[in-house]
Amino acid sequence: MDKLTLRTLTEQQVTQFKLNGFLVVEDVLSADEVEALAVHGDRIATGKLEHIPETSIQLEHVFRNGSKPITDQVLSVRKLFNLAVYDDVMWHHVTNPKVVDIIADLLGADDIKMYGDQLFMKSPETGTAQPWHQDSASWRDIFPMDLVTAWTSIDHATAENGCLNFIPGTHRWGMVRGNQLKQFLDDFGGNSWPAVGTPLRPGSISFHHSLTLHMSNANTSSKRRRGYAAHYMRAISWRDESVT
């Protein structure tokens, strides 16, 4: 993208994203905007909002399989998804120019649209880990595989409560699946393929490419780690309905 057309980012930031496959932008949202997401996200997690379908609420595995009793509905939730299409508060966030202008800079296009959204709850002690993966592995029907996720920190995201970790440059590997990925797992976080953790203050956002390998550890702390991820792509992206 020509530097004169950049809306929010510097040319150096765009170059960093292209090189590493992720970018952290601090303090994008105001305290009031973060509070709105925090309060409303918890309301959705109660399962009591009639306009949010039950299918948009997923509990942690220990609560789904009954091995641990539910004593707090909100803290039993693993993630909420497909929210913005039903809810005005979440839609306001995914269309917030503070966020969308950065996406436009990273994709190098103004013709962008939302692919989907997920609010990861990762509650204290029961919040589970997410292993190394590429988002496009779940979105294999979208071409080009060139989507960008805006992961907004609602709470302080730390190494202890499960902040995101990235392997820089892996978005340039293409799709890596199954045994291909397995060959590298033991080396991730070592000298060959160093992992970069991204602790975030509330209101800060990490942006990552859909092919960038990333993970998060379990929440072993007493602090919550909520993060609202909105996924964007070019409006002219093509969905191949033959992909299963």
Side-chain angles (χ1 to χ4, degrees):
M1 174 179 272
D2 186 89
K3 64 182 179 180
L4 296 178
T5 66
L6 291 176
R7 297 181 176 208
T8 299
L9 300 180
T10 65
E11 190 173 8
Q12 182 180 10
Q13 286 174 306
V14 174
T15 298
Q16 180 182 340
F17 179 81
K18 290 180 178 178
L19 178 65
N20 294 326
F22 68 94
L23 176 74
V24 170
V25 182
E26 300 283 7
D27 304 320
V28 178
L29 300 187
S30 69
D32 287 344
E33 289 170 320
V34 174
E35 181 68 9
L37 289 177
V39 171
H40 199 63
D42 281 358
R43 286 184 185 139
I44 294 172
T46 66
K48 297 179 179 179
L49 298 188
E50 294 183 355
H51 64 286
I52 302 293
E54 292 182 6
T55 53
S56 288
I57 303 174
Q58 182 189 90
L59 303 184
E60 286 285 357
H61 184 68
V62 292
F63 300 109
R64 276 182 280 156
N65 67 14
S67 62
K68 191 175 182 66
I70 297 174
T71 58
D72 186 316
Q73 167 68 20
V74 173
L75 294 182
S76 71
V77 174
R78 176 179 178 268
K79 71 174 178 178
L80 309 167
F81 51 99
N82 295 335
L83 303 178
V85 292
Y86 299 109
D87 189 89
D88 289 343
V89 173
M90 311 316 271
W91 182 254
H92 177 75
H93 172 77
V94 303
T95 59
N96 189 334
K98 294 180 182 179
V99 179
V100 175
D101 283 353
I102 295 175
I103 295 293
D105 285 349
L106 295 177
L107 283 175
D110 291 328
D111 63 327
I112 59 177
K113 63 182 179 182
M114 184 186 73
Y115 175 79
D117 63 326
Q118 300 167 294
L119 201 168
F120 299 100
M121 302 294 277
K122 205 178 279 282
S123 296
E125 300 180 357
T126 58
T128 50
Q130 181 68 20
W132 291 109
H133 68 283
Q134 297 170 307
D135 290 338
S136 277
S138 299
W139 310 333
R140 289 179 296 135
D141 57 344
I142 300 298
F143 297 92
M145 290 183 176
D146 191 23
L147 297 84
V148 176
T149 291
W151 196 98
T152 300
S153 187
I154 296 175
D155 306 298
H156 279 277
T158 67
E160 292 72 28
N161 67 13
C163 68
L164 294 185
N165 297 267
F166 299 97
I167 304 295
T170 46
H171 64 304
R172 292 180 273 116
W173 290 13
M175 180 66 74
V176 183
R177 288 180 286 177
N179 193 53
Q180 295 171 330
L181 178 59
K182 184 179 179 181
Q183 301 303 314
F184 293 94
L185 291 178
D186 289 342
D187 294 326
F188 286 164
N191 293 330
S192 298
W193 306 109
V196 177
T198 55
L200 295 175
R201 296 189 293 267
S204 296
I205 303 178
S206 65
F207 298 85
H208 66 265
H209 190 279
S210 61
L211 287 172
T212 303
L213 283 159
H214 60 289
M215 61 82 72
S216 65
N217 291 313
N219 186 349
T220 59
S221 78
S222 61
K223 305 293 185 181
R224 303 181 74 184
R225 193 235 66 180
R226 290 166 292 177
Y228 187 33
H231 316 294
Y232 301 87
M233 61 186 177
R234 295 175 185 80
I236 58 173
S237 296
W238 176 61
R239 182 182 179 217
D240 184 353
E241 296 184 0
S242 69
V243 175
T244 59

